[in-house]
Amino acid sequence: MAITFAIGVSPEEARREKALVLEPELREYFRRVSIQKGIPLPNLTNLDPYADTRFEGGRLSLLEREVDDLLSILEGLYGKEALPPLLEPPEVIGLETEPEGKPCSRDGALQFLLALRELSDEARRGGWPLLAIGD
Amino acid sequence: MNQAFLRSIQFLSSLPWKGLLLALLFLFPALALFGEDFSQVESLPPASSLLDSIPGPAPSVPSGPAAQEMKNVRTPPTKTKETAADAALKKRARRAADRYVLSNKTLYQHILPRHGSDATVPGKSRFVKGFDVSDGIDYTLKSPDARIRENTDGRRGYIFEVTYRTRIGTSPEKKPLRTLRVVIDEGGRVVTAFPVK
């Protein structure tokens, strides 16, 4: 159920070197934050995990705005010492396919969003679609 | 026996405070001996629960070949109580799976391009070479041992999973995967299938 973000016209031709994986635990965390803060992030949190979504033009702009919104929310939240458990990111993600998972925590959540912002910038500059590839 | 015990309790309780002391003296051993029956009469918790709280001797750890043999024996999974809603869900899922359809488009244009052994889509788990995906889907959807749940996030359909004894796939980090997950919609059409942990 992980979703891979990559630049390309089709999943088979997506650029492998800059692919970014949104693990289900992190997606669930972003969804929790969006509900708690009352900010809808449909392009980021309601992606179909079993299908592909294509971001280009206006849709890419919407995704970028959502990523920026979420980044500013999280940076504000992480400035505080203690957070309610619901707003804390998972310590480990990727447990669906990796036996030990991968470390995440606050740094991992921010790094993912920054990398996604960079990837969408690159797609926009190159005139390529950004794909969210499901399973 | 119990009636005699109850009568003695009643008698002791009618005495002044000395009787109370006597009652305490006899009550605890008696509870331990006849606690189960007594609790049924008086609707008290069974005395065995009191005994359970007393720490017993530490379990001895067997060693040698016997211990090794014990490690090799797989204990059967504990069965949790299935609710009526779970049972109804499984029934609906089984009905959909009974008439499942795996289209060529789903197999050759969706599943294999991203999860096949030669797939090039980044960040996805892959089936090992030689694993027959359509056979695996058929087995998973028909297996009485399949774990079944509703599709996630309110999407309609069902998720079936079967864990194999051997490796059927590899994770993006090249770790072995043994479980096949198959997603079908409400009508039984296969949406996707891929290996997970």
Side-chain angles (χ1 to χ4, degrees):
Chain A
M1 278 172 36
I3 293 170
T4 304
F5 284 94
I7 294 172
V9 288
S10 72
E12 296 80 16
E13 291 165 40
R15 289 188 211 163
R16 298 170 68 100
E17 66 281 359
K18 285 201 173 172
L20 190 61
V21 179
L22 175 56
E23 297 290 354
E25 298 93 341
L26 194 55
R27 194 180 63 217
E28 190 49 44
Y29 168 65
F30 291 156
R31 185 178 297 150
R32 265 198 328 263
V33 172
S34 87
I35 292 168
Q36 291 282 316
K37 293 289 162 189
I39 296 166
L41 306 167
N43 286 292
L44 190 59
T45 59
N46 288 350
L47 291 164
D48 188 343
Y50 306 126
D52 304 331
T53 313
R54 202 178 166 102
F55 292 100
E56 51 190 336
R59 198 164 187 196
L60 185 60
S61 305
L62 282 175
L63 177 71
E64 286 172 329
R65 202 176 308 155
E66 286 181 17
V67 172
D68 289 342
D69 287 348
L70 190 56
L71 258 174
S72 64
I73 290 170
L74 292 184
E75 281 166 348
L77 282 174
Y78 296 165
K80 298 170 188 169
E81 287 272 312
L83 286 176
L86 266 176
L87 294 176
E88 280 292 353
E91 287 295 318
V92 177
I93 57 172
L95 289 165
E96 201 168 60
T97 50
E98 303 301 337
E100 294 90 25
K102 298 178 271 189
C104 179
S105 70
R106 294 181 178 189
D107 282 349
L110 292 177
Q111 272 168 21
F112 173 84
L113 290 172
L114 289 169
L116 183 55
R117 192 68 177 85
E118 205 173 291
L119 203 61
S120 58
D121 272 350
E122 197 177 324
R124 178 180 298 286
R125 282 198 307 271
W128 293 92
L130 176 66
L131 302 175
I133 309 165
D135 280 313
Chain B
M1 185 70 166
N2 282 343
Q3 280 183 345
F5 173 72
L6 285 170
R7 272 188 209 139
S8 65
I9 293 289
Q10 280 170 356
F11 170 72
L12 285 170
S13 62
S14 67
L15 291 174
W17 64 273
K18 281 179 189 170
L20 188 67
L21 276 178
L22 279 169
L24 284 173
L25 209 66
F26 288 107
L27 188 61
F28 286 104
L31 267 177
L33 283 171
F34 311 109
E36 296 289 348
D37 293 339
F38 184 71
S39 65
Q40 280 168 17
V41 175
E42 294 290 315
S43 304
L44 289 171
S48 54
S49 64
L50 293 173
L51 290 175
D52 288 345
S53 63
I54 300 167
S60 60
V61 181
S63 57
Q68 193 56 43
E69 202 173 311
M70 279 175 72
K71 278 181 193 168
N72 291 335
V73 176
R74 289 179 67 183
T75 52
T78 50
K79 278 198 172 181
T80 51
K81 272 192 179 174
E82 192 178 74
T83 63
D86 286 343
L89 166 80
K90 282 183 183 171
K91 199 174 172 184
R92 287 199 306 276
R94 289 270 180 220
R95 207 177 293 149
D98 281 348
R99 54 171 193 272
Y100 87 87
V101 176
L102 172 61
S103 70
N104 281 341
K105 190 180 174 192
T106 302
L107 181 62
Y108 294 109
Q109 291 180 30
H110 183 92
I111 299 171
L112 292 178
R114 63 198 71 202
H115 297 290
S117 58
D118 301 325
T120 54
V121 178
K124 299 293 175 194
S125 59
R126 309 242 189 278
F127 289 108
V128 291
K129 214 168 192 141
F131 181 76
D132 190 320
V133 179
S134 50
D135 272 1
I137 291 170
D138 186 72
Y139 176 72
T140 303
L141 292 177
K142 290 178 178 170
S143 170
D145 299 325
R147 297 180 294 281
I148 302 169
R149 60 193 161 103
E150 203 148 32
N151 201 352
T152 52
D153 301 331
R155 276 178 288 270
R156 293 188 168 192
Y158 310 99
I159 297 173
F160 285 66
E161 282 184 357
V162 159
T163 300
Y164 286 70
R165 287 176 192 276
T166 53
R167 188 173 75 138
I168 63 158
T170 49
S171 74
E173 306 288 329
K174 311 291 176 209
K175 299 276 168 54
L177 302 173
R178 295 193 302 126
T179 299
L180 176 57
R181 178 178 294 174
V182 181
V183 184
I184 60 171
D185 69 11
E186 276 193 324
R189 283 178 290 269
V190 175
V191 175
T192 189
F194 52 96
V196 292
K197 191 170 74 179

mmCIF file of all heavy atoms in Angstrom, chain A residues 20-53:
data_model
loop_
_atom_site.group_PDB
_atom_site.id
_atom_site.type_symbol
_atom_site.label_atom_id
_atom_site.label_comp_id
_atom_site.label_asym_id
_atom_site.label_seq_id
_atom_site.Cartn_x
_atom_site.Cartn_y
_atom_site.Cartn_z
ATOM 1 N N LEU A 20 10.264 8.518 -4.700
ATOM 2 C CA LEU A 20 10.044 8.816 -3.284
ATOM 3 C C LEU A 20 8.861 7.979 -2.806
ATOM 4 O O LEU A 20 7.790 8.016 -3.416
ATOM 5 C CB LEU A 20 9.714 10.305 -3.179
ATOM 6 C CG LEU A 20 9.664 10.946 -1.817
ATOM 7 C CD1 LEU A 20 11.003 10.842 -1.111
ATOM 8 C CD2 LEU A 20 9.265 12.411 -1.972
ATOM 9 N N VAL A 21 9.070 7.216 -1.754
ATOM 10 C CA VAL A 21 8.008 6.287 -1.322
ATOM 11 C C VAL A 21 7.262 6.844 -0.108
ATOM 12 O O VAL A 21 7.875 7.174 0.907
ATOM 13 C CB VAL A 21 8.595 4.886 -0.996
ATOM 14 C CG1 VAL A 21 7.503 3.946 -0.518
ATOM 15 C CG2 VAL A 21 9.276 4.305 -2.233
ATOM 16 N N LEU A 22 5.944 6.958 -0.273
ATOM 17 C CA LEU A 22 5.083 7.372 0.847
ATOM 18 C C LEU A 22 4.515 6.103 1.469
ATOM 19 O O LEU A 22 3.629 5.458 0.907
ATOM 20 C CB LEU A 22 3.953 8.287 0.335
ATOM 21 C CG LEU A 22 2.891 8.711 1.360
ATOM 22 C CD1 LEU A 22 3.502 9.391 2.571
ATOM 23 C CD2 LEU A 22 1.855 9.626 0.707
ATOM 24 N N GLU A 23 5.069 5.742 2.614
ATOM 25 C CA GLU A 23 4.638 4.512 3.282
ATOM 26 C C GLU A 23 3.262 4.721 3.925
ATOM 27 O O GLU A 23 2.921 5.850 4.303
ATOM 28 C CB GLU A 23 5.664 4.107 4.357
ATOM 29 C CG GLU A 23 7.043 3.768 3.822
ATOM 30 C CD GLU A 23 7.095 2.460 3.036
ATOM 31 O OE1 GLU A 23 6.074 1.759 3.004
ATOM 32 O OE2 GLU A 23 8.155 2.169 2.453
ATOM 33 N N PRO A 24 2.490 3.642 4.058
ATOM 34 C CA PRO A 24 1.128 3.799 4.600
ATOM 35 C C PRO A 24 1.075 4.431 5.990
ATOM 36 O O PRO A 24 0.169 5.195 6.289
ATOM 37 C CB PRO A 24 0.577 2.373 4.630
ATOM 38 C CG PRO A 24 1.683 1.469 4.282
ATOM 39 C CD PRO A 24 2.768 2.264 3.650
ATOM 40 N N GLU A 25 2.089 4.135 6.830
ATOM 41 C CA GLU A 25 2.088 4.696 8.195
ATOM 42 C C GLU A 25 2.234 6.220 8.166
ATOM 43 O O GLU A 25 1.598 6.924 8.947
ATOM 44 C CB GLU A 25 3.226 4.106 9.029
ATOM 45 C CG GLU A 25 3.170 2.593 9.243
ATOM 46 C CD GLU A 25 3.956 1.830 8.194
ATOM 47 O OE1 GLU A 25 4.246 2.397 7.114
ATOM 48 O OE2 GLU A 25 4.288 0.661 8.446
ATOM 49 N N LEU A 26 3.059 6.695 7.228
ATOM 50 C CA LEU A 26 3.280 8.144 7.135
ATOM 51 C C LEU A 26 2.052 8.825 6.521
ATOM 52 O O LEU A 26 1.657 9.914 6.961
ATOM 53 C CB LEU A 26 4.537 8.423 6.300
ATOM 54 C CG LEU A 26 5.104 9.841 6.369
ATOM 55 C CD1 LEU A 26 5.383 10.274 7.800
ATOM 56 C CD2 LEU A 26 6.362 9.967 5.530
ATOM 57 N N ARG A 27 1.461 8.174 5.549
ATOM 58 C CA ARG A 27 0.244 8.734 4.930
ATOM 59 C C ARG A 27 -0.866 8.840 5.981
ATOM 60 O O ARG A 27 -1.586 9.829 6.049
ATOM 61 C CB ARG A 27 -0.199 7.837 3.770
ATOM 62 C CG ARG A 27 -1.223 8.504 2.878
ATOM 63 C CD ARG A 27 -1.622 7.598 1.756
ATOM 64 N NE ARG A 27 -2.256 6.401 2.265
ATOM 65 C CZ ARG A 27 -2.107 5.191 1.747
ATOM 66 N NH1 ARG A 27 -1.326 5.005 0.727
ATOM 67 N NH2 ARG A 27 -2.719 4.162 2.241
ATOM 68 N N GLU A 28 -0.963 7.796 6.801
ATOM 69 C CA GLU A 28 -1.970 7.794 7.868
ATOM 70 C C GLU A 28 -1.691 8.921 8.869
ATOM 71 O O GLU A 28 -2.622 9.570 9.357
ATOM 72 C CB GLU A 28 -1.945 6.423 8.566
ATOM 73 C CG GLU A 28 -3.074 6.163 9.535
ATOM 74 C CD GLU A 28 -4.451 6.478 8.970
ATOM 75 O OE1 GLU A 28 -4.720 6.105 7.823
ATOM 76 O OE2 GLU A 28 -5.237 7.132 9.683
ATOM 77 N N TYR A 29 -0.424 9.149 9.139
ATOM 78 C CA TYR A 29 -0.054 10.234 10.060
ATOM 79 C C TYR A 29 -0.443 11.590 9.471
ATOM 80 O O TYR A 29 -1.030 12.428 10.162
ATOM 81 C CB TYR A 29 1.448 10.175 10.340
ATOM 82 C CG TYR A 29 1.971 11.409 11.040
ATOM 83 C CD1 TYR A 29 1.549 11.716 12.339
ATOM 84 C CD2 TYR A 29 2.854 12.277 10.404
ATOM 85 C CE1 TYR A 29 2.011 12.861 12.975
ATOM 86 C CE2 TYR A 29 3.317 13.409 11.035
ATOM 87 C CZ TYR A 29 2.887 13.703 12.319
ATOM 88 O OH TYR A 29 3.339 14.842 12.945
ATOM 89 N N PHE A 30 -0.152 11.804 8.170
ATOM 90 C CA PHE A 30 -0.518 13.073 7.526
ATOM 91 C C PHE A 30 -2.040 13.262 7.562
ATOM 92 O O PHE A 30 -2.534 14.369 7.763
ATOM 93 C CB PHE A 30 -0.030 13.103 6.075
ATOM 94 C CG PHE A 30 1.471 13.182 5.930
ATOM 95 C CD1 PHE A 30 2.106 12.734 4.779
ATOM 96 C CD2 PHE A 30 2.259 13.705 6.950
ATOM 97 C CE1 PHE A 30 3.484 12.807 4.638
ATOM 98 C CE2 PHE A 30 3.651 13.779 6.825
ATOM 99 C CZ PHE A 30 4.253 13.324 5.662
ATOM 100 N N ARG A 31 -2.749 12.178 7.374
ATOM 101 C CA ARG A 31 -4.219 12.256 7.405
ATOM 102 C C ARG A 31 -4.695 12.656 8.812
ATOM 103 O O ARG A 31 -5.589 13.490 8.954
ATOM 104 C CB ARG A 31 -4.822 10.908 7.006
ATOM 105 C CG ARG A 31 -6.339 10.953 6.908
ATOM 106 C CD ARG A 31 -6.912 9.646 6.468
ATOM 107 N NE ARG A 31 -6.464 9.297 5.123
ATOM 108 C CZ ARG A 31 -6.304 8.061 4.688
ATOM 109 N NH1 ARG A 31 -6.515 7.045 5.481
ATOM 110 N NH2 ARG A 31 -5.915 7.830 3.457
ATOM 111 N N ARG A 32 -4.072 12.056 9.830
ATOM 112 C CA ARG A 32 -4.439 12.387 11.220
ATOM 113 C C ARG A 32 -4.219 13.865 11.504
ATOM 114 O O ARG A 32 -5.067 14.535 12.062
ATOM 115 C CB ARG A 32 -3.562 11.576 12.182
ATOM 116 C CG ARG A 32 -4.198 10.302 12.645
ATOM 117 C CD ARG A 32 -3.570 9.730 13.888
ATOM 118 N NE ARG A 32 -2.166 9.913 14.129
ATOM 119 C CZ ARG A 32 -1.216 9.035 13.846
ATOM 120 N NH1 ARG A 32 -1.533 7.895 13.270
ATOM 121 N NH2 ARG A 32 0.047 9.262 14.146
ATOM 122 N N VAL A 33 -3.063 14.359 11.062
ATOM 123 C CA VAL A 33 -2.736 15.774 11.298
ATOM 124 C C VAL A 33 -3.746 16.660 10.580
ATOM 125 O O VAL A 33 -4.234 17.650 11.139
ATOM 126 C CB VAL A 33 -1.292 16.081 10.833
ATOM 127 C CG1 VAL A 33 -1.010 17.576 10.888
ATOM 128 C CG2 VAL A 33 -0.286 15.329 11.685
ATOM 129 N N SER A 34 -4.081 16.305 9.342
ATOM 130 C CA SER A 34 -5.011 17.147 8.574
ATOM 131 C C SER A 34 -6.388 17.177 9.237
ATOM 132 O O SER A 34 -7.041 18.213 9.272
ATOM 133 C CB SER A 34 -5.093 16.683 7.121
ATOM 134 O OG SER A 34 -6.053 15.686 6.953
ATOM 135 N N ILE A 35 -6.814 16.050 9.806
ATOM 136 C CA ILE A 35 -8.115 16.007 10.497
ATOM 137 C C ILE A 35 -8.045 16.823 11.789
ATOM 138 O O ILE A 35 -8.919 17.639 12.071
ATOM 139 C CB ILE A 35 -8.539 14.539 10.775
ATOM 140 C CG1 ILE A 35 -8.842 13.828 9.457
ATOM 141 C CG2 ILE A 35 -9.755 14.481 11.700
ATOM 142 C CD1 ILE A 35 -8.976 12.316 9.580
ATOM 143 N N GLN A 36 -6.973 16.603 12.539
ATOM 144 C CA GLN A 36 -6.826 17.303 13.821
ATOM 145 C C GLN A 36 -6.762 18.818 13.640
ATOM 146 O O GLN A 36 -7.291 19.570 14.441
ATOM 147 C CB GLN A 36 -5.545 16.832 14.530
ATOM 148 C CG GLN A 36 -5.598 15.412 15.036
ATOM 149 C CD GLN A 36 -6.393 15.278 16.316
ATOM 150 O OE1 GLN A 36 -6.252 16.086 17.215
ATOM 151 N NE2 GLN A 36 -7.244 14.280 16.385
ATOM 152 N N LYS A 37 -6.097 19.229 12.573
ATOM 153 C CA LYS A 37 -5.920 20.668 12.341
ATOM 154 C C LYS A 37 -7.010 21.254 11.448
ATOM 155 O O LYS A 37 -7.009 22.452 11.158
ATOM 156 C CB LYS A 37 -4.532 20.925 11.704
ATOM 157 C CG LYS A 37 -3.394 20.605 12.644
ATOM 158 C CD LYS A 37 -3.339 21.643 13.753
ATOM 159 C CE LYS A 37 -2.534 21.180 14.931
ATOM 160 N NZ LYS A 37 -2.637 22.083 16.081
ATOM 161 N N GLY A 38 -7.894 20.394 10.952
ATOM 162 C CA GLY A 38 -9.014 20.871 10.131
ATOM 163 C C GLY A 38 -8.593 21.407 8.775
ATOM 164 O O GLY A 38 -9.242 22.295 8.223
ATOM 165 N N ILE A 39 -7.488 20.888 8.267
ATOM 166 C CA ILE A 39 -7.025 21.345 6.943
ATOM 167 C C ILE A 39 -7.080 20.169 5.974
ATOM 168 O O ILE A 39 -6.320 19.208 6.123
ATOM 169 C CB ILE A 39 -5.589 21.910 7.030
ATOM 170 C CG1 ILE A 39 -5.618 23.151 7.915
ATOM 171 C CG2 ILE A 39 -5.045 22.252 5.656
ATOM 172 C CD1 ILE A 39 -4.279 23.620 8.353
ATOM 173 N N PRO A 40 -7.989 20.211 4.997
ATOM 174 C CA PRO A 40 -8.087 19.073 4.078
ATOM 175 C C PRO A 40 -6.872 18.982 3.147
ATOM 176 O O PRO A 40 -6.424 19.990 2.605
ATOM 177 C CB PRO A 40 -9.367 19.366 3.284
ATOM 178 C CG PRO A 40 -9.621 20.820 3.436
ATOM 179 C CD PRO A 40 -8.957 21.273 4.697
ATOM 180 N N LEU A 41 -6.366 17.770 3.012
ATOM 181 C CA LEU A 41 -5.218 17.525 2.125
ATOM 182 C C LEU A 41 -5.554 16.350 1.202
ATOM 183 O O LEU A 41 -4.884 15.324 1.220
ATOM 184 C CB LEU A 41 -3.969 17.201 2.955
ATOM 185 C CG LEU A 41 -3.552 18.191 4.036
ATOM 186 C CD1 LEU A 41 -2.510 17.589 4.960
ATOM 187 C CD2 LEU A 41 -3.006 19.469 3.403
ATOM 188 N N PRO A 42 -6.600 16.503 0.382
ATOM 189 C CA PRO A 42 -7.075 15.334 -0.374
ATOM 190 C C PRO A 42 -6.063 14.773 -1.375
ATOM 191 O O PRO A 42 -5.997 13.568 -1.584
ATOM 192 C CB PRO A 42 -8.321 15.858 -1.102
ATOM 193 C CG PRO A 42 -8.162 17.333 -1.140
ATOM 194 C CD PRO A 42 -7.399 17.707 0.084
ATOM 195 N N ASN A 43 -5.254 15.656 -1.974
ATOM 196 C CA ASN A 43 -4.315 15.162 -2.991
ATOM 197 C C ASN A 43 -3.173 14.360 -2.386
ATOM 198 O O ASN A 43 -2.541 13.560 -3.064
ATOM 199 C CB ASN A 43 -3.755 16.329 -3.799
ATOM 200 C CG ASN A 43 -4.786 16.872 -4.753
ATOM 201 O OD1 ASN A 43 -5.176 16.208 -5.705
ATOM 202 N ND2 ASN A 43 -5.288 18.060 -4.452
ATOM 203 N N LEU A 44 -2.919 14.597 -1.119
ATOM 204 C CA LEU A 44 -1.805 13.899 -0.481
ATOM 205 C C LEU A 44 -2.269 12.705 0.346
ATOM 206 O O LEU A 44 -1.612 11.669 0.378
ATOM 207 C CB LEU A 44 -1.050 14.891 0.430
ATOM 208 C CG LEU A 44 0.273 14.428 1.004
ATOM 209 C CD1 LEU A 44 1.248 14.072 -0.103
ATOM 210 C CD2 LEU A 44 0.864 15.504 1.885
ATOM 211 N N THR A 45 -3.419 12.836 0.988
ATOM 212 C CA THR A 45 -3.822 11.785 1.935
ATOM 213 C C THR A 45 -4.910 10.856 1.400
ATOM 214 O O THR A 45 -5.132 9.804 1.966
ATOM 215 C CB THR A 45 -4.305 12.400 3.260
ATOM 216 O OG1 THR A 45 -5.400 13.267 2.983
ATOM 217 C CG2 THR A 45 -3.209 13.177 3.941
ATOM 218 N N ASN A 46 -5.598 11.251 0.336
ATOM 219 C CA ASN A 46 -6.656 10.379 -0.192
ATOM 220 C C ASN A 46 -6.262 9.703 -1.496
ATOM 221 O O ASN A 46 -7.121 9.371 -2.315
ATOM 222 C CB ASN A 46 -7.960 11.168 -0.404
ATOM 223 C CG ASN A 46 -8.596 11.518 0.921
ATOM 224 O OD1 ASN A 46 -8.176 11.027 1.969
ATOM 225 N ND2 ASN A 46 -9.598 12.372 0.889
ATOM 226 N N LEU A 47 -4.987 9.500 -1.678
ATOM 227 C CA LEU A 47 -4.532 8.828 -2.910
ATOM 228 C C LEU A 47 -4.969 7.376 -2.884
ATOM 229 O O LEU A 47 -4.938 6.727 -1.831
ATOM 230 C CB LEU A 47 -3.000 8.898 -2.986
ATOM 231 C CG LEU A 47 -2.398 10.278 -3.237
ATOM 232 C CD1 LEU A 47 -0.917 10.261 -2.895
ATOM 233 C CD2 LEU A 47 -2.612 10.690 -4.681
ATOM 234 N N ASP A 48 -5.353 6.871 -4.054
ATOM 235 C CA ASP A 48 -5.741 5.459 -4.145
ATOM 236 C C ASP A 48 -4.470 4.607 -4.110
ATOM 237 O O ASP A 48 -3.615 4.725 -4.993
ATOM 238 C CB ASP A 48 -6.507 5.235 -5.457
ATOM 239 C CG ASP A 48 -7.100 3.834 -5.529
ATOM 240 O OD1 ASP A 48 -6.668 2.956 -4.754
ATOM 241 O OD2 ASP A 48 -7.994 3.624 -6.361
ATOM 242 N N PRO A 49 -4.336 3.753 -3.089
ATOM 243 C CA PRO A 49 -3.090 2.980 -2.987
ATOM 244 C C PRO A 49 -2.968 1.871 -4.022
ATOM 245 O O PRO A 49 -1.918 1.233 -4.124
ATOM 246 C CB PRO A 49 -3.155 2.398 -1.574
ATOM 247 C CG PRO A 49 -4.597 2.357 -1.234
ATOM 248 C CD PRO A 49 -5.255 3.472 -1.978
ATOM 249 N N TYR A 50 -4.047 1.600 -4.769
ATOM 250 C CA TYR A 50 -3.998 0.512 -5.757
ATOM 251 C C TYR A 50 -4.083 1.018 -7.188
ATOM 252 O O TYR A 50 -4.260 0.245 -8.116
ATOM 253 C CB TYR A 50 -5.137 -0.480 -5.499
ATOM 254 C CG TYR A 50 -5.148 -0.995 -4.079
ATOM 255 C CD1 TYR A 50 -6.280 -0.893 -3.299
ATOM 256 C CD2 TYR A 50 -4.010 -1.570 -3.538
ATOM 257 C CE1 TYR A 50 -6.278 -1.350 -1.994
ATOM 258 C CE2 TYR A 50 -3.997 -2.021 -2.233
ATOM 259 C CZ TYR A 50 -5.132 -1.918 -1.467
ATOM 260 O OH TYR A 50 -5.126 -2.360 -0.179
ATOM 261 N N ALA A 51 -4.011 2.334 -7.363
ATOM 262 C CA ALA A 51 -4.084 2.895 -8.720
ATOM 263 C C ALA A 51 -3.043 3.999 -8.860
ATOM 264 O O ALA A 51 -2.348 4.316 -7.891
ATOM 265 C CB ALA A 51 -5.484 3.436 -8.966
ATOM 266 N N ASP A 52 -2.937 4.554 -10.048
ATOM 267 C CA ASP A 52 -1.954 5.610 -10.286
ATOM 268 C C ASP A 52 -2.660 6.963 -10.396
ATOM 269 O O ASP A 52 -3.750 7.050 -10.952
ATOM 270 C CB ASP A 52 -1.194 5.341 -11.585
ATOM 271 C CG ASP A 52 -0.540 3.968 -11.558
ATOM 272 O OD1 ASP A 52 -0.198 3.508 -10.451
ATOM 273 O OD2 ASP A 52 -0.406 3.359 -12.637
ATOM 274 N N THR A 53 -2.027 7.979 -9.868
ATOM 275 C CA THR A 53 -2.568 9.336 -9.966
ATOM 276 C C THR A 53 -1.527 10.203 -10.660
ATOM 277 O O THR A 53 -0.329 10.089 -10.368
ATOM 278 C CB THR A 53 -2.862 9.898 -8.557
ATOM 279 O OG1 THR A 53 -3.566 8.904 -7.801
ATOM 280 C CG2 THR A 53 -3.689 11.167 -8.619
#
